[in-house]
């Protein structure tokens, strides 16, 4: 009986020989994980059997890489994958774990319907705790804070998190709150911003979260950005990052000069209406470029006139900006293309 395909999409994978990180197309079936150099390739670069495998998430083996999970085979071969955002990692981890458990129990893979509850159980659930922290009324308030000649937007201090956990009866004292905050940081729900919090994460101590007013953090799915005082132009550029994140994920993008296609991570923000794209192997600190969406036209297309390098077919869409610059993109699935088109269309009409 042929394996049942469960999930597919782009992830960043660490090479087993050269140790470099590259974007690959990953296909999860009920008995293994295949990864391809390109989505269009007919043969995979490798296959990871799930029988007897162990999944570790979060994986803390790489201090400067977040959202990493490790898949270890029965033959003690380790494979490292990195997601582009928190929800993506959680989705892959959940499905891979379920596939492994189904193999061990001789059952057929089936997703469970999970209802999120705000009420915390006796054993702390970090996902539910994170939902509480993100609550607009009673959660941790995001602020604009200045530190070391930089302005950090949509962030908060380590002390604020600890104080909130105690005030909401999630922890009895500061050491207990610090343990919870460290768990949220290790799971990728919170991210460090600034030198103090980053040094705490890389210090190797049991508690990597720093309970100090000059240790800054932000929510993984927030509109966080940092601005400096280098020039007036720099401040203007940083205004692009002011808006809330509406959608993020990997898409295939056609280059303007060489017309070749590369996988890029895209982050869509509103107010102002921008979409930034990044090299997914290098993080979100420095975008490769941005698209001003105000007044843009977004439409699905069936083909790209001057596509080169290798055939790109299906799930294509085009963004035409107000200055008539054309961007051609490809989503992984028809449903994903529809979601991106709707999200970008909404932001282009309502964002500034």
């Amino acid at each position: 009986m042929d394996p049942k395909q469960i999930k597919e999409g782009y992830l960043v994978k660490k090479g087993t020989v050269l140790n470099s990180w590259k974007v690959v197309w990953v296909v999860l079936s009920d008995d293994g994980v295949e990864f391809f150099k390109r989505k269009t390739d007919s043969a995979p670069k490798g296959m990871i059997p799930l029988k007897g495998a162990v999944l570790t998430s979060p994986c803390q083996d790489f201090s400067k890489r977040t959202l990493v999970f490790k898949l270890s085979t029965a033959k003690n071969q380790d494979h490292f994958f990195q997601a582009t955002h928190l929800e993506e990692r959680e989705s892959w981890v959940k499905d891979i774990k379920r596939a492994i458990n189904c193999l061990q129990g001789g059952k057929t893979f089936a997703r469970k319907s999970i209802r999120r509850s705000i009420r915390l159980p006796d054993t702390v659930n970090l996902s539910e705790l994170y939902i509480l922290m993100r609550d607009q009324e009673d959660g941790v308030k995001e602020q604009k804070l200045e530190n070391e000649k930089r302005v950090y937007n949509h962030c908060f201090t380590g002390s604020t998190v600890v104080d909130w956990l105690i005030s909401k009866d999630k922890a009895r004292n500061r050491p207990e709150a610090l343990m919870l905050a460290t768990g949220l940081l290790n799971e990728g729900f919170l991210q460090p911003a600034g030198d103090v919090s980053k040094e705490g994460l890389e210090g190797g101590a049991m508690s990597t979260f720093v309970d100090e007013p000059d240790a800054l953090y932000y929510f993984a799915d927030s509109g966080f950005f940092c601005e400096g005082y280098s020039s007036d132009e720099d401040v203007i550029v940083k205004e692009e990052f002011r808006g809330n994140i509406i959608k993020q994920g990997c898409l295939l993008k056609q280059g303007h000069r060489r017309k070749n296609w590369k996988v890029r991570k895209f982050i869509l923000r509103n107010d102002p209406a921008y979409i930034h794209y990044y090299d997914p192997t290098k993080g979100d600190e420095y975008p490769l470029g941005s698209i001003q969406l105000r007044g843009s036209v977004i439409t699905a297309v069936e083909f790209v006139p001057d596509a080169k390098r290798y055939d790109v077919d299906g799930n294509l869409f085009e963004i035409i900006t107000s200055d008539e610059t054309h961007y051609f993109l490809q989503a992984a699935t028809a449903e994903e293309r529809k979601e991106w088109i709707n999200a970008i269309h909404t932001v282009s009409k309502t964002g500034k």
Side-chain angles (χ1 to χ4, degrees):
M1 187 175 179
D2 291 335
K4 174 186 175 184
Q5 185 172 312
I6 297 167
K7 186 181 183 68
E8 60 182 350
Y10 291 110
L11 289 172
V12 179
K13 185 182 184 298
K14 180 177 178 290
T16 54
V17 179
L18 299 178
N19 293 327
S20 58
W21 293 79
K22 293 185 177 180
V23 177
V24 293
W25 179 256
V26 182
V27 177
L28 168 65
S29 61
D30 52 8
D31 66 351
V33 174
E34 293 180 318
F35 51 95
F36 300 75
K37 184 177 180 180
R38 299 186 182 96
K39 182 187 174 185
T40 52
D41 290 349
S42 57
K45 286 185 65 178
M47 192 273 190
I48 306 169
L50 291 180
K51 187 174 182 179
V54 176
L55 190 144
T56 304
S57 179
C59 174
Q60 303 295 326
D61 292 22
F62 309 95
S63 61
K64 294 184 179 180
R65 285 188 179 271
T66 59
L67 305 176
V68 174
F69 62 90
K70 178 172 68 173
L71 190 56
S72 304
T73 69
K75 295 183 178 181
N76 296 320
Q77 295 175 323
D78 293 335
H79 298 268
F80 299 93
F81 293 91
Q82 182 182 24
T84 58
H85 57 281
L86 184 63
E87 289 183 359
E88 181 180 65
R89 186 192 69 178
E90 295 303 294
S91 177
W92 276 99
V93 166
K94 181 177 68 175
D95 282 348
I96 294 173
K97 281 185 175 180
R98 181 159 294 280
I100 292 173
N101 292 336
C102 288
L103 269 178
Q104 291 175 343
K107 299 177 181 178
T108 302
F109 181 94
R111 288 191 177 91
K112 287 185 176 179
S113 176
I114 300 175
R115 292 184 62 186
R116 285 185 169 181
S117 172
I118 297 298
R119 183 175 176 271
L120 285 171
D122 294 334
T123 302
V124 174
N125 184 308
L126 293 178
S127 296
E128 294 180 351
L129 183 57
Y130 180 69
I131 295 171
L132 288 172
M133 295 179 71
R134 294 288 278 125
D135 186 84
Q136 295 293 320
E137 297 296 328
D138 298 322
V140 174
K141 304 302 180 186
E142 295 176 292
Q143 298 177 291
K144 184 175 183 178
L145 301 172
E146 184 175 342
N147 187 290
E148 295 293 330
K149 293 185 177 181
R150 290 181 177 272
V151 176
Y152 296 86
N153 297 264
H154 298 282
C155 70
F156 40 82
T157 70
S159 299
T160 298
V161 173
V162 171
D163 291 340
W164 182 88
L165 289 168
I166 295 173
S167 68
K168 300 300 179 182
D169 296 325
K170 307 306 174 190
R172 293 169 293 182
N173 48 50
R174 299 194 84 80
E176 191 173 290
L178 194 59
M179 186 181 302
L180 282 177
T182 297
L184 289 162
L185 182 66
N186 290 342
E187 287 286 346
F189 293 112
L190 304 181
Q191 297 292 324
D195 294 338
V196 175
S197 56
K198 290 180 180 179
E199 287 171 3
L201 184 62
E202 298 173 6
M206 182 175 294
S207 175
T208 56
F209 192 89
V210 181
D211 177 16
E212 294 181 10
D214 57 348
L216 306 182
Y217 298 89
Y218 62 94
F219 294 123
D221 56 352
S222 73
F224 168 80
F225 70 96
C226 172
E227 58 188 91
Y229 296 125
S230 57
S231 68
D232 291 339
E233 181 182 354
D234 183 60
V235 174
I236 293 172
V237 170
K238 294 302 181 182
E239 279 294 298
E240 298 178 9
F241 301 91
R242 188 186 65 204
N244 293 322
I245 294 178
I246 304 301
K247 187 174 177 60
Q248 56 184 322
C250 283
L251 295 167
L252 207 58
K253 176 185 177 293
Q254 186 192 49
H256 276 98
R257 287 183 294 178
R258 297 182 180 179
K259 304 300 180 183
N260 58 335
W261 293 79
K262 291 186 178 181
V263 178
R264 298 302 183 209
K265 176 183 177 179
F266 285 80
I267 298 181
L268 173 65
R269 292 181 172 90
N270 66 355
D271 193 23
Y274 272 90
I275 187 167
H276 295 86
Y277 50 95
Y278 305 76
D279 181 340
T281 67
K282 297 181 180 179
D284 299 346
E285 191 169 357
Y286 302 107
L288 298 174
S290 64
I291 305 172
Q292 219 289 351
L293 295 174
R294 184 65 173 168
S296 296
V297 176
I298 304 94
T299 182
V301 295
E302 297 303 320
F303 67 96
V304 178
D306 49 1
K308 292 183 179 180
R309 291 295 177 95
Y310 59 93
D311 292 335
V312 177
D313 186 27
N315 308 320
L316 297 162
F317 63 100
E318 179 182 14
I319 300 174
I320 306 175
T321 64
S322 57
D323 63 356
E324 298 189 0
T325 302
H326 294 243
Y327 294 88
F328 290 100
L329 307 167
Q330 183 191 45
T333 65
E335 182 62 28
E336 187 179 86
R337 176 176 71 169
K338 181 179 177 182
E339 291 175 359
W340 273 105
I341 290 175
N342 289 340
I344 295 171
H345 178 77
T346 301
V347 167
S348 69
K349 299 299 181 185
T350 59
K352 295 179 181 179

